[in-house]
Amino acid sequence: MAENKNQKQNQINIELDEAVADGIYSNLAIINHSVSEFVVDFVNIMPGRPKSKVKSRIILTPQHAKRLLKALNDNVSRFEAAHGEIKDYEQPPIPMNFGPTGEA
């Protein structure tokens, strides 16, 4: 009985509102870091448009960034096991002055 009570205390109730549930499309992630944080800017670059805006910015601790890397690796491996290898198509290079700097 006590074990079941502890399980309920350790659960987190996470809510997802409609605006966030719709998501934001991104085909570019710009990653910078400082000693204390990783900053991931998600951008949607459209062909023929010379200017794009950051659509979302996520700031992570280094420990959380490493956990995210592991979780992404695990999920990509499971996806490829079920659906085949994800092809990494050649992309045109992004100019080095594109996006924010690594300072935090």
Side-chain angles (χ1 to χ4, degrees):
M1 188 78 158
E3 187 176 327
N4 191 16
K5 183 179 179 182
N6 287 339
Q7 286 175 343
K8 285 186 178 182
Q9 287 178 348
N10 290 334
Q11 291 179 351
I12 299 173
N13 183 10
I14 298 174
E15 295 182 8
L16 181 64
D17 66 40
E18 280 188 50
V20 175
D22 286 341
I24 295 172
Y25 178 78
S26 171
N27 55 9
L28 174 68
I30 300 168
I31 304 170
N32 292 290
H33 66 276
S34 69
V35 175
S36 59
E37 59 195 14
F38 279 72
V39 178
V40 185
D41 288 330
F42 293 96
V43 182
N44 179 4
I45 295 182
M46 298 302 291
R49 289 196 176 171
K51 188 175 180 181
S52 296
K53 287 185 178 181
V54 171
K55 298 293 185 178
S56 183
R57 171 175 277 186
I58 306 297
I59 303 169
L60 308 160
T61 64
Q63 294 80 12
H64 192 204
K66 191 166 185 176
R67 286 193 299 268
L68 177 61
L69 174 65
K70 182 182 181 313
L72 280 171
N73 275 326
D74 292 347
N75 276 271
V76 168
S77 294
R78 286 197 308 262
F79 179 93
E80 288 183 329
H83 304 286
E85 182 182 356
I86 299 170
K87 303 281 191 242
D88 190 10
Y89 299 104
E90 189 69 30
Q91 295 290 323
I94 302 296
M96 292 305 287
N97 62 350
F98 180 85
T101 63
E103 298 288 322

